Amino acid sequence: MSKADYVYDVLLGELRNASIPGGTPLKANSIAERLGVSITPVREALRRLEKDRLISYESHHGATVIDLSDDALREFYDVRAVVEGLGAKLAAERITAEQLDELRRIHRSMVEDAERGGHELLGEQSRRFHLLITDIGGPAFLGRQARAIRNSYPVPANASLWLEPERARGHLDAHRRIIDALAAQDGATAERIMIEHVRFSGGYRADRQG
């Protein structure tokens, strides 16, 4: 891994989990000092993040983490719902017993973490659950697109519904019903539940942002 790749991966992870929230200015010198690299790989990483539309540049202000407007937020979740819904529909046609077992394992781990009060662990596991389904449904193209969409805008830590036990239980139930639909090879039901599930998340985040 090059130093630029290292810086990019670190910053992408921090943006994705929203430890660097929207609107935050990114100073190349500070990043270089924090990560123990020269300024050159930092600038290269920032250019890549700008191409990913995660940061923006303004004259005399430098790089700033992009924050979603209300309209962009709605569009983001609508696109996610369509892509991940299609992934669930296609996955129902081709999912294997081993892949179902993996989805059930992730779901069981999430239920156990929720019961122990480990709600901060659920967001990343949910991401794995959703992306595994799109990888199964569209291994040649759709899975990559689902990742690109999710990586384009992070969810702020304080806007994650997984931190609220009641809402987490509702989402875990949606995951269970998606698994049941996939096991029954019922693509229409899997797609419908996934779309409703993702759009509910978007409504929740919009309410928190507002």
Side-chain angles (χ1 to χ4, degrees):
M1 178 182 289
S2 70
K3 290 182 179 179
D5 288 339
Y6 163 68
V7 175
Y8 174 83
D9 285 349
V10 170
L11 293 178
L12 179 61
E14 292 175 342
L15 292 171
R16 198 174 71 186
N17 66 28
S19 58
I20 305 178
T24 301
L26 296 177
K27 304 297 184 184
N29 288 332
S30 299
I31 295 170
E33 182 177 352
R34 175 165 66 90
L35 299 183
V37 298
S38 68
I39 198 72
T40 300
V42 173
R43 287 174 175 159
E44 182 178 335
L46 291 176
R47 284 194 294 270
R48 289 174 62 185
L49 291 170
E50 184 183 21
K51 285 185 178 180
D52 293 339
R53 297 186 358 182
L54 286 169
I55 67 173
S56 62
Y57 276 96
E58 294 183 21
S59 300
H60 311 300
H61 293 284
T64 303
V65 179
I66 289 177
D67 205 1
L68 281 182
S69 67
D70 290 343
D71 286 344
L73 186 65
R74 282 190 292 271
E75 186 176 327
F76 168 69
Y77 276 96
D78 281 345
V79 172
R80 262 196 60 196
V82 170
V83 170
E84 295 181 24
L86 177 59
K89 178 181 179 180
L90 297 175
E93 301 171 3
R94 62 181 63 182
I95 195 164
T96 66
E98 292 77 12
Q99 290 166 335
L100 271 172
D101 285 344
E102 177 63 12
L103 287 173
R104 289 178 175 131
R105 189 195 66 76
I106 296 171
H107 179 65
R108 185 166 56 250
S109 175
M110 293 181 71
V111 170
E112 291 171 355
D113 284 336
E115 290 174 347
R116 289 196 299 264
H119 290 87
E120 73 282 357
L121 304 174
L122 300 179
E124 182 56 30
Q125 292 182 86
S126 177
R127 175 185 172 87
R128 288 172 52 213
F129 180 89
H130 281 248
L131 292 178
L132 177 55
I133 291 172
T134 52
D135 283 340
I136 294 167
F141 180 76
L142 199 63
R144 292 200 308 272
Q145 296 308 305
R147 280 177 173 76
I149 292 165
R150 278 178 167 263
N151 286 341
S152 65
Y153 291 111
V155 177
N158 64 358
S160 174
L161 57 75
W162 291 108
L163 298 176
E164 297 189 13
E166 183 176 349
R167 296 187 184 276
R169 283 192 294 271
H171 263 31
L172 286 171
D173 183 65
H175 283 191
R176 178 191 58 77
R177 290 185 289 120
I178 289 168
I179 292 173
D180 289 345
L182 293 175
Q185 297 184 309
D186 185 348
T189 298
E191 180 179 34
R192 176 181 57 78
I193 297 170
M194 181 66 83
I195 288 173
E196 292 172 352
H197 173 55
V198 173
R199 284 180 172 163
F200 181 89
S201 299
Y204 175 85
R205 186 173 171 189
D207 290 343
R208 293 297 299 268
Q209 181 166 293

